């Protein structure tokens, strides 16, 4: 199990010092397959810092381009969240019955039992295709998928193709913010980011392994296989924990490098979710007071900016 902790470190570090780290853990904690929680946190933090420094040391792309790429990835993942169950059921030809994801009826496809409105594809395939293309550094493929998201959300002409229900069901984007496919701010921002990446020599973009899709498949299994809908408390708590972990990782990376690139995805996600609360306050889940939620959305931005500025000041002083 100790080898799982090495996944937090970049590949060159694992090749050079991976066996040494494993030997130290075995010697420090004999007979244990997993070190104490404090040691796990320290190793993960060191791994995030090592990855952040390796990213900053790579000068093949400017920091702002990498930041926009990270923002596009985050937005594509957010757009996919409400439709994880839908895509899973479509891929495996499952009729969810009463476990539909807040749709008005349970029959979506020709194989569904009972009355159904036939549609060919789930809307979630668009953000999923966009996410895969961006992971592989191919924004020219993600751009038409993002444009199709705008078209599907803005028109009713795609009912047979994507189905109207797939665009009207409640989505969840952390801290109880409901957003549907008809909210064009998310898809529009994603489309703009993909257009910028396509115009700025996409060959310079970072290409990530298909292994990054493993968490996506796992999330689809949790949502679809266990019938956990995107507005259920269990799903909300899990997504909230992931978001908190991502913010902590962004803060650790910024504090160790003084680089501003991680501020861009945090700002993009905060903008999308804040506008959803401001525009639709009556739809907002009252799990927390609105003011507290807005503070939690906006607070990470100045924290990251101040952390980066302070780190750069320390580097200049040295």
């Amino acid at each position: 199990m100790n080898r799982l902790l090495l996944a937090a470190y970049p590949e060159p570090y694992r090749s050079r010092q991976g066996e040494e780290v494993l030997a130290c853990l075995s010697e420090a904690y004999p007979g244990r397959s997993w070190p104490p929680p404090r040691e796990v946190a320290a190793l993960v933090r060191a791994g995030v810092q090592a990855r952040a420094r390796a990213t900053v040391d790579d000068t093949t792309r400017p920091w702002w381009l990498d930041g926009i790429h990270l923002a596009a990835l985050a937005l594509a993942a957010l757009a996919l969240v409400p439709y994880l169950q839908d895509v899973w059921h479509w891929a495996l030809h499952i009729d969810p019955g009463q476990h539909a994801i807040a749709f008005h009826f349970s029959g979506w496809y020709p194989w569904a039992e009972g009355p159904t409105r036939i549609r060919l594809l789930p809307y979630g395939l668009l953000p999923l295709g966009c996410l895969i293309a961006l992971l592989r550094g191919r924004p020219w493929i993600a751009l038409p998928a993002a444009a199709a998201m705008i078209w599907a959300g803005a028109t009713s002409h795609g009912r047979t193709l994507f189905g109207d229900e797939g665009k009207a069901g409640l989505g969840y984007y952390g801290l109880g913010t409901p957003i549907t496919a008809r909210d064009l701010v998310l898809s529009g921002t994603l489309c703009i980011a993909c257009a910028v990446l396509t115009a700025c020599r996409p060959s310079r973009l970072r290409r990530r392994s298909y292994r990054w899709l493993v968490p996506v498949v796992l999330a689809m299994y949790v949502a679809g296989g266990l019938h956990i809908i995107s507005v259920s408390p269990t799903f909300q708590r899990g997504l909230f924990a992931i978001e908190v972990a991502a913010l902590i990782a962004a803060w650790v990376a910024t504090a160790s490098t003084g680089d501003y690139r991680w501020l861009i995805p945090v700002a993009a996600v905060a903008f999308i979710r804040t506008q959803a609360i401001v525009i639709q306050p009556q739809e907002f889940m009252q799990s927390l007071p609105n003011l507290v939620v807005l503070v939690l959305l906006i607070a990470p931005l100045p924290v990251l900016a101040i952390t980066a500025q302070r780190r750069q000041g320390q580097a200049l002083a040295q």
Side-chain angles (χ1 to χ4, degrees):
M1 296 297 290
N2 288 337
R3 289 189 177 275
L4 290 177
L5 295 174
L6 292 180
Y9 294 84
E11 197 282 329
Y13 183 95
R14 296 197 301 267
S15 300
R16 294 193 310 268
Q17 298 176 268
E19 295 300 327
E20 181 181 348
V21 172
L22 292 175
C24 291
L25 288 175
S26 299
E27 182 178 350
Y29 308 103
R32 297 186 57 167
S33 60
W34 197 259
R38 180 178 297 181
E39 187 69 25
V40 171
L43 288 171
V44 171
R45 176 171 180 168
V48 172
Q49 291 175 334
R51 282 186 176 274
R53 295 191 189 98
T55 300
V56 173
D57 292 340
D58 185 359
T59 58
T60 57
R61 61 192 65 84
W63 66 268
W64 58 266
L65 185 63
D66 209 18
I68 294 175
H69 192 190
L70 290 172
L73 285 167
L75 294 179
L78 284 179
L80 175 62
V81 164
Y83 306 101
L84 291 169
Q85 184 190 86
D86 196 15
V87 174
W88 179 266
H89 289 159
W90 172 81
L92 299 182
H93 285 212
I94 296 173
D95 179 10
Q98 298 302 314
H99 299 287
I101 55 172
F103 287 176
H104 298 159
F105 58 91
S106 61
W108 311 334
Y109 302 109
W111 59 81
E113 298 180 0
T116 178
R117 302 180 196 176
I118 294 176
R119 60 187 172 117
L120 301 179
L121 299 171
Y123 171 85
L125 284 182
L126 295 176
L128 177 60
C130 194
L131 178 65
I132 295 174
L134 289 169
L135 277 173
R136 298 300 296 166
R138 295 180 171 88
W140 64 91
I141 299 177
L143 180 58
M149 291 170 61
I150 298 176
W151 171 80
T155 69
S156 59
H157 303 301
R159 280 185 185 171
T160 304
L161 185 58
F162 295 113
D164 183 66
E165 291 297 313
K167 295 177 286 185
L170 272 183
Y172 174 74
Y173 296 102
L175 300 177
T177 311
I179 302 179
T180 69
R182 288 175 178 171
D183 188 332
L184 302 183
V185 177
L186 172 59
S187 54
T189 306
L190 176 59
C191 189
I192 292 172
C194 292
V196 172
L197 295 174
T198 302
C200 294
R201 292 179 58 188
S203 60
R204 303 163 67 187
L205 296 180
R206 192 183 307 277
R207 294 189 178 185
R208 293 169 174 83
S209 169
Y210 284 112
R211 287 177 294 182
W212 284 92
L213 291 174
V214 172
V216 177
V217 176
L218 180 61
M220 286 185 181
Y221 167 74
V222 171
L226 302 182
H227 301 300
I228 299 178
I229 64 175
S230 58
V231 293
S232 71
T234 302
F235 199 94
Q236 291 178 17
R237 294 188 189 104
L239 185 56
F240 179 75
I242 293 174
E243 291 174 340
V244 170
L247 283 174
I248 293 175
W251 177 80
V252 171
T254 303
S256 62
T257 62
D259 196 272
Y260 287 97
R261 75 186 67 206
W262 291 281
L263 185 63
I264 297 178
V266 173
V269 173
F271 167 70
I272 295 298
R273 288 163 47 183
T274 301
Q275 67 84 28
I277 293 177
V278 172
I279 293 175
Q280 305 178 45
Q282 70 280 2
E283 300 290 341
F284 171 59
M285 297 179 184
Q286 301 295 330
S287 57
L288 289 173
N290 291 13
L291 180 60
V292 174
V293 171
L294 288 174
V295 169
L296 290 175
L297 286 173
I298 298 172
L301 299 178
V303 170
L304 285 176
I306 293 172
T307 300
Q309 186 177 15
R310 183 174 298 176
R311 180 67 179 83
Q312 289 183 356
Q314 292 175 350
L316 291 175
Q318 293 174 357

